């Protein structure tokens, strides 16, 4: 089945090397730098960019974000928007860019997420329901709801801490093949993961994403124009999205999430199945997120991720390459761009430019994005030419 | 534990006009949830419209304060530093008898003894300057007051 999205391709990628903190860097400056890299990588001139998708600027300009970014970069896009799907923002942008191109709104869209990370970040009160109904009980931050997901999985399916820890150990393993990864030179075994302190049980420190400063950008254009550019185009073959809740107390399920229908839609559009993927580039803010995504993708039965992980080798040279850049657990999570690192890695693998960690004959990748706590989900199927 | 909680200086709720009856009730030892007069489902957290049928015919009704633990976590390193003196403490998602799920603090139980599926009941607890609707294991037969 032919679909509108098959007519779009990712032709450029840009990335900033993650750092633990920034010292006076501005979000706009980082956005500009990473956009420049992506557009240069595409081999396009600045003026060819007529679409702009950006993330919310946490702690900075709350309104007029696209105009602020366009002005800073000297762009005058024909289409622009903020895309705020938490960790699913990157994947959500690629799909929206393809749709805008298919609709004739514009021809070349730059999608960008970047942020600073100052050592002393201000804490500001707000009035959303989580602030009112979770925080007063001592439930601040993302660790707590993810720990609750993990606890539920263990109670319902008998999954073990060791099985979850394997996912973190593989992420560290893969990070050893990526010099840009925050944990490059710092492998961790399953025992190391289990020996790391509980942050909020059953979550150990090494099972939790490392927040970093950094940024990613990609350029999406029509498949037709992509053929004239310098790189092997990476086509968007299918996409799916679903948003279900914000606070974990309101989640429809604790053991399956909106990624399931998103991935099913993406597979169906692309005419492929999970087993066909050469690369799994799965959002991994916590080990439990990867575990549930493997199950929701249909790679194993519900509750059975542990055995699947034990039966497979998840390195770039393994039978089931998973997050070859190290994932968020090994590479680091640059703000909302955490989800976009998975896209950039998939593009590199499908272009066959992943260097020392290149998967042999990579031609199909599943990329997922996940926002809040299994709340906002986007899945992409990317294919080489 | 209760003495420690009483002395905590932690961020409290920031009520809105719609949610204020819930918090005012709690301060007066009443546990009220919204009830939709149209589809007859209970609603938590409080909203302007019923999320099930979009009716605005929501009323406040006294709820049982009985529930079951859907999942939980034991917090060792709190997200907000003001909670550090309490760590480790147990938080749970509680499926209330009326249907909705809420997050709450578990009191009167060793965090190591908490289990998914455990029956719990409301225990209004002073946390800093406020009373919060916390929960404790429901060991007594239902219907019997714990006081
Ligand atoms: Zn209703």
């Amino acid at each position: 089945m032919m679909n509108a999205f098959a007519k779009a391709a990712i032709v450029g990628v840009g990335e900033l090397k993650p750092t633990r903190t920034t010292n006076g860097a501005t979000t706009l400056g980082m956005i500009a730098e990473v956009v420049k890299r992506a557009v240069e990588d595409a081999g396009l001139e600045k003026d060819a960019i007529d679409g702009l998708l950006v993330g919310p600027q946490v702690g900075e300009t709350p309104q007029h974000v696209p105009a602020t970014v366009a002005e800073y970069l000297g762009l005058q896009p024909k289409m622009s928007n903020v895309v705020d799907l938490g960790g699913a923002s990157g994947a959500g942008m690629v799909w929206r860019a393809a749709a805008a191109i298919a609709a004739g709104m514009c021809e070349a869209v730059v999608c960008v997420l970047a942020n600073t990370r100052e050592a002393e970040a201000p804490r500001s009160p707000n009035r959303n329901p989580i602030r009112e109904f979770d925080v007063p009980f001592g439930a601040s931050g993302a660790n707590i709801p993810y720990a609750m997901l993990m606890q539920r999985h263990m109670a319902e399916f008998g999954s073990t801490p060791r099985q979850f820890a394997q996912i973190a150990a593989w992420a560290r393993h893969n990070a050893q093949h990526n010099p840009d990864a925050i944990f490059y030179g710092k492998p961790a075994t399953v025992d190391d993961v289990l020996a790391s302190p509980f942050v909020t049980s059953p979550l150990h420190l090494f099972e939790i994403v490392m927040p970093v400063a950094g940024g990613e950008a990609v350029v999406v254009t029509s498949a037709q124009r992509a053929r004239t550019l310098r790189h092997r185009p990476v086509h968007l073959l299918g996409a799916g999205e679903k948003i279900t809740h914000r606070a974990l107390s309101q989640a429809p399920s604790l053991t399956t999430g909106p990624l399931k229908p998103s991935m099913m839609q993406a597979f169906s559009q692309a005419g492929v199945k999970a087993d066909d993927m050469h690369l799994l580039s799965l959002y991994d803010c916590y080990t439990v997120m990867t575990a549930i995504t493997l199950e929701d993708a249909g790679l194993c039965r519900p509750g059975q991720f542990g055995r699947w992980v034990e039966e497979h080798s998840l390195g770039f040279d393994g039978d089931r390459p998973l997050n070859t850049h190290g994932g968020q657990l090994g590479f680091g999570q640059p703000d909302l761009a955490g989800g976009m690192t998975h896209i950039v890695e998939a593009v590199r693998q499908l272009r066959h430019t992943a260097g020392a960690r290149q998967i042999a004959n990579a031609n199909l990748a599943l990329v997922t994005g996940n926002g809040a706590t299994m709340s906002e989900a986007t899945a992409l199927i990317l294919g080489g030419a | 534990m209760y003495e420690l909680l009483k002395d905590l200086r932690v961020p409290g709720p920031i009520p809105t006009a719609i949610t204020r009856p819930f918090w005012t009730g709690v301060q007066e030892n009443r546990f009220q949830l919204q009830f939709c007069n149209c589809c007859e489902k209970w609603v938590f957290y409080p909203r302007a419209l019923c999320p099930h049928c979009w009716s605005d015919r929501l009323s406040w009704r006294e709820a049982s304060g009985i529930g079951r633990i859907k999942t939980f976590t034991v917090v060792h390193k709190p997200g907000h530093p003001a909670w550090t003196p309490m760590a480790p403490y147990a938080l749970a998602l509680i499926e209330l008898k009326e249907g909705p799920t809420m997050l709450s603090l578990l009191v009167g139980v060793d965090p190591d003894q908490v289990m998914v599926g455990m029956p719990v009941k409301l225990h209004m607890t002073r946390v800093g300057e406020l009373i919060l609707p916390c929960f404790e294991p429901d060991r007594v037969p239902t219907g019997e007051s714990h006081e």
Side-chain angles (χ1 to χ4, degrees):
Chain A
M1 182 185 74
M2 196 58 194
N3 63 71
F5 305 118
K7 292 176 188 160
I10 300 174
V11 293
V13 296
E15 183 169 78
L16 302 179
K17 182 175 163 61
T19 55
R20 283 292 284 141
T21 53
T22 46
N23 189 8
T26 65
T27 302
L28 281 172
M30 290 173 65
I31 285 174
E33 176 61 31
V34 76
V35 162
K36 174 170 178 260
R37 289 184 193 185
V39 174
E40 278 180 2
D41 180 65
L44 285 168
E45 293 300 317
K46 162 177 168 307
D47 292 340
I49 300 300
D50 60 359
L52 170 66
L53 297 177
V54 299
Q57 304 307 294
V58 181
E60 295 198 20
T61 328
Q63 285 95 29
H64 309 296
V65 174
T68 305
V69 171
E71 175 191 278
Y72 196 91
L73 275 158
L75 293 175
Q76 296 189 353
K78 291 155 74 179
M79 181 285 298
S80 67
N81 269 113
V82 168
V83 178
D84 178 5
L85 296 169
S89 300
M93 284 176 177
V94 170
W95 188 15
R96 282 161 177 73
I101 292 163
M105 293 173 85
C106 53
E107 283 187 47
V109 184
V110 67
C111 309
V112 61
L113 290 162
N115 215 341
T116 55
R117 193 164 185 280
E118 296 295 322
E120 296 292 328
R123 293 174 186 278
S124 61
N126 62 49
R127 304 188 82 169
N128 82 28
I130 285 186
R131 171 65 189 81
E132 185 172 353
F133 292 99
D134 286 3
V135 170
F137 295 96
S140 299
N143 295 335
I144 285 161
Y146 278 97
M148 287 178 163
L149 284 181
M150 189 171 167
Q151 184 68 55
R152 176 72 193 203
H153 198 283
M154 290 165 66
E156 194 166 328
F157 300 112
S159 48
T160 65
R162 183 159 285 272
Q163 289 172 332
F164 285 101
Q166 292 201 41
I167 290 171
W170 274 113
R172 289 291 190 99
H173 169 87
N174 285 335
Q176 304 319 305
H177 301 278
N178 182 359
D180 283 345
I182 203 85
F183 286 115
Y184 180 69
K186 292 176 185 146
T189 64
V190 169
D191 287 331
D192 292 335
V193 176
L194 294 174
S196 67
F198 277 134
V199 174
T200 177
S201 77
L203 267 180
H204 299 87
L205 181 64
F206 288 8
E207 298 182 87
I208 300 173
V209 74
M210 170 70 87
V212 295
E216 325 278 321
V218 301
V219 177
V220 181
T221 191
S222 64
Q224 196 174 3
R225 183 183 287 190
R227 280 195 292 274
T228 69
L229 298 176
R230 65 155 71 127
H231 289 293
R232 184 180 198 234
V234 171
H235 292 100
L236 179 59
L237 304 180
E241 187 169 294
K242 185 100 172 165
I243 291 91
T244 50
H245 63 279
R246 172 68 181 91
L248 190 65
S249 65
Q250 310 298 309
S253 168
L254 298 177
T255 51
T256 178
L259 261 175
K260 184 170 183 168
S262 309
M263 290 188 289
M264 293 311 127
Q265 180 179 328
F267 287 139
S268 155
Q269 270 182 6
V272 297
K273 52 191 192 304
D275 276 326
D276 299 332
M277 298 299 118
H278 301 117
L279 169 67
L280 298 167
S281 208
L282 308 184
Y283 198 91
D284 62 332
C285 46
Y286 298 83
T287 50
V288 64
M289 193 59 221
T290 312
I292 293 175
T293 304
L294 291 168
E295 294 171 6
D296 277 352
L299 289 158
C300 54
R301 282 186 294 123
Q304 297 301 307
F305 87 88
R307 244 182 48 203
W308 189 90
V309 171
E310 283 158 5
E311 284 166 359
H312 294 284
S313 169
L314 313 184
F316 74 94
D317 54 352
D319 63 319
R320 284 295 188 166
L322 171 74
N323 292 344
T324 42
H325 63 307
Q328 290 149 275
L329 291 168
F331 177 80
Q333 172 171 321
D335 197 64
L336 294 182
M340 214 175 218
T341 69
H342 297 269
I343 300 170
V344 170
E345 177 67 5
V347 169
R348 288 186 174 137
Q349 289 287 356
L350 298 178
R351 279 179 181 178
H352 301 164
T353 59
R357 61 178 190 274
Q358 180 63 50
I359 299 166
N361 305 318
N363 205 39
L364 274 174
L366 168 66
V367 179
T368 62
N370 157 68
T373 314
M374 217 161 69
S375 316
E376 301 149 319
T378 306
L380 307 177
I381 308 295
L382 300 180
Chain B
M1 172 180 207
Y2 298 106
E3 282 308 303
L4 261 176
L5 278 169
K6 212 184 288 180
D7 293 336
L8 278 192
R9 290 296 172 266
V10 293
I14 304 172
T16 65
I18 289 162
T19 63
R20 192 160 288 116
F22 175 81
W23 293 112
T24 307
V26 165
Q27 301 320 302
E28 295 161 358
N29 205 29
R30 281 179 297 125
F31 187 60
Q32 317 172 89
L33 305 180
Q34 280 180 316
F35 180 80
C36 176
N37 295 337
C38 191
C39 72
E40 306 201 318
K41 286 183 175 146
W42 294 77
V43 174
F44 182 85
Y45 51 91
R47 300 172 209 203
L49 292 182
C50 167
H52 306 289
C53 74
W54 282 6
S55 164
D56 61 0
R57 290 171 50 213
L58 292 160
S59 54
W60 289 96
R61 281 200 190 176
E62 203 86 18
S64 66
I66 290 169
R68 197 171 282 276
I69 293 179
K70 259 164 98 171
T71 187
F72 69 97
T73 181
V74 180
V75 183
H76 293 256
K77 197 174 180 301
H80 194 290
W83 277 86
T84 305
M86 282 307 297
Y89 59 92
L91 297 175
L93 290 189
I94 292 152
E95 185 167 23
L96 300 168
K97 192 179 151 203
E98 288 77 9
T101 296
M102 72 178 284
L103 183 145
S104 188
L105 176 70
L106 295 177
V107 294
V109 61
D110 179 345
D112 290 340
Q113 303 298 311
V114 178
M115 280 169 52
V116 170
M118 191 182 252
V120 289
K121 65 180 179 190
L122 186 70
H123 185 279
M124 293 294 192
T125 307
R126 178 162 289 281
V127 177
E129 322 243 281
L130 285 167
I131 307 289
L132 293 185
C134 299
F135 285 78
E136 65 178 6
D138 191 2
R139 296 192 186 91
V140 287
T142 48
E144 197 175 314
S145 167
H146 113 101
E147 288 298 331

